[in-house]
Amino acid sequence: MAQLSLPHATAQDTSLIHLQYGLMSAFPLLLPVLIALALNLSLRKSDCCGICVTHLKWQRNSMLGLAFGFAVWYWLPAGWMATTALVAVLAWFVLRIVKGWVSLIDGVAIQSAMRREQAANSIE
């Protein structure tokens, strides 16, 4: 039986990143998000692959954005404005989880909007 040998291929271990997305998806419990944030902050960029670094930053920004959104929601008066803000924050967070996790499964690095514009301009 012939085996395919790829001498220049390197394995990218993304299991911790998948675990963090899984913990983030349990956001109604709040404790898994805090555990994911602690895990995210404990990982160093030098220990991760190139794709993982962008996903770590994406996750960190998502979790800090969720915390900021909850703080804004807390200070709003009860009523339709607070409910709308809470729904908007949670929808934004879920969208970021889905977009990040699907990109990780596809093996694609997350790019900020500014980098996407720079990449588009460099093509033209």
Side-chain angles (χ1 to χ4, degrees):
M1 179 179 251
Q3 291 184 348
L4 180 61
S5 175
L6 300 173
H8 299 291
T10 58
Q12 296 179 356
D13 185 19
T14 58
S15 58
L16 281 178
I17 311 299
H18 283 286
L19 175 67
Q20 286 180 339
Y21 278 122
L23 289 170
M24 288 170 60
S25 65
F27 63 89
L29 302 177
L30 189 63
L31 185 61
V33 176
L34 295 176
I35 293 170
L37 182 60
L39 183 61
N40 186 308
L41 294 174
S42 69
L43 293 174
R44 288 175 281 166
K45 289 183 179 180
S46 61
D47 297 341
C48 299
C49 59
I51 291 173
C52 296
V53 170
T54 61
H55 282 277
L56 287 172
K57 186 175 180 182
W58 178 263
Q59 290 173 346
R60 191 176 320 116
N61 290 340
S62 298
M63 289 181 273
L64 294 176
L66 180 67
F68 177 74
F70 277 155
V72 168
W73 168 75
Y74 180 77
W75 290 107
L76 285 175
W80 68 270
M81 193 180 326
T83 305
T84 305
L86 181 64
V87 169
V89 166
L90 292 178
W92 172 81
F93 188 67
V94 168
L95 178 70
R96 286 184 66 98
I97 291 172
V98 170
K99 182 178 179 183
W101 212 344
V102 168
S103 297
L104 182 63
I105 290 169
D106 291 342
V108 178
I110 297 286
Q111 292 182 353
S112 65
M114 187 169 44
R115 291 221 174 165
R116 280 193 302 265
E117 289 175 11
Q118 289 173 350
N121 290 339
S122 68
I123 292 173
E124 294 174 354

